[in-house]
Amino acid sequence: MRGVEQIPWLYDLSMALMPGMQRWRRSLAALARGRVLEVGCGTGRMLPLYPDPVAVFALDPNRAALDRARRRSPEAGLMVGSAEHLPFPNASFDSVVSGLVFCSVPDPARGLAEIHRVLKPDGRLLMLEHVHARNRVGRWLLDTLQPPWTLITGGCHPNRDTEKIVENAGFCIERDHYRSQGVMRHFVARKDLG
Ligand SMILES: C[S@@+](CC[C@H](N)C(=O)[O-])C[C@H]1O[C@@H](n2cnc3c(N)ncnc32)[C@H](O)[C@@H]1O
């Protein structure tokens, strides 16, 4: 299925029309520490925004998007891959970052289990996501729009309860840095060590 997410120039054009999104990305990237893995980096719009002394690895299933990402950030370690099969050992990252990705990951529970595995015990998951609406009319609207929207975008599901999926995967969402605006969310989650 080829949609906007698989056509890098079109994806970047659509994002250029949403300058507010880059402010969300900037604020999320500023929280990254140590060894960083960005899942679903796409065309690499977040990559130049990380603070200086971090080592960044990033992956995305779309090779053409990664070519753009490489131009944006030649120093990042980029690879083709998916959140559901992370090619890294256990406990190998201090921060895992996801920006507008878990609406598109085909198996989000599996992707989050993989992130849980590769994060160090005190590591942090930094997420910027759009999620399902909170009210009944909004939920109905997003459920109705989902099939054509998924087709046009090339995989995005606007009606996922991503925060719930994150918590079910063994994370607890911190109240610090939690920002919510409409269906947009920006938050930090830690492994729930019980
Ligand atoms: C809306 S774009 C976001 C791109 C980038 N993170 C950004 O902020 O602009 C969604 C990205 O998720 C990627 N994606 C889709 N399925 C994925 C998966 N299973 N694992 C990792 N990334 C995936 C897509 O290729 C696409 O680049």
Side-chain angles (χ1 to χ4, degrees):
M1 184 169 51
R2 202 166 130 86
V4 175
E5 286 182 12
Q6 288 77 41
I7 306 171
W9 68 265
L10 187 55
Y11 180 74
D12 274 346
L13 182 66
S14 68
M15 280 296 153
L17 302 175
M18 292 183 245
M21 209 56 87
Q22 203 63 353
R23 287 195 285 277
W24 287 88
R25 285 193 189 89
R26 189 178 301 281
S27 131
L28 192 74
L31 301 172
R33 300 283 178 270
R35 246 171 88 87
V36 177
L37 171 65
E38 185 179 333
V39 294
C41 64
T43 59
R45 301 186 75 82
M46 186 113 73
L47 293 177
L49 307 179
Y50 290 109
D52 222 357
V54 301
V56 181
F57 297 81
L59 58 78
D60 197 281
N62 188 308
R63 194 177 291 275
L66 283 176
D67 288 343
R68 268 194 178 220
R70 199 174 305 283
R71 289 203 289 278
R72 283 207 162 98
S73 183
E75 66 287 352
L78 303 182
M79 65 208 78
V80 176
S82 73
E84 294 97 327
H85 303 279
L86 295 177
F88 301 103
N90 296 351
S92 47
F93 290 98
D94 300 287
S95 310
V96 176
V97 182
S98 143
L100 308 174
V101 173
F102 273 84
C103 50
S104 295
V105 169
D107 186 345
R110 166 135 194 146
L112 283 157
E114 275 290 89
I115 289 175
H116 196 278
R117 181 183 67 74
V118 303
L119 262 180
K120 294 180 183 175
D122 62 347
R124 302 195 303 175
L125 167 61
L126 315 177
M127 288 189 112
L128 168 63
E129 298 289 340
H130 60 91
V131 299
H132 211 337
R134 283 187 170 138
N135 62 68
R136 250 175 13 140
V137 175
R139 289 182 85 84
W140 173 83
L141 194 63
L142 292 181
D143 286 338
T144 306
L145 281 176
Q146 182 262 311
W149 182 253
T150 301
L151 204 65
I152 293 164
T153 56
C156 172
H157 296 72
N159 58 344
R160 284 193 176 159
D161 288 309
T162 301
E163 288 154 296
K164 205 174 282 173
I165 305 172
V166 168
E167 288 173 338
N168 289 345
F171 289 96
C172 65
I173 295 175
E174 298 181 339
R175 291 299 114 182
D176 296 356
H177 311 298
Y178 185 86
R179 282 172 57 197
S180 162
Q181 192 181 325
V183 294
M184 289 300 300
R185 300 287 182 274
H186 165 305
F187 59 84
V188 173
R190 285 187 185 275
K191 286 179 157 190
D192 188 350
L193 299 175

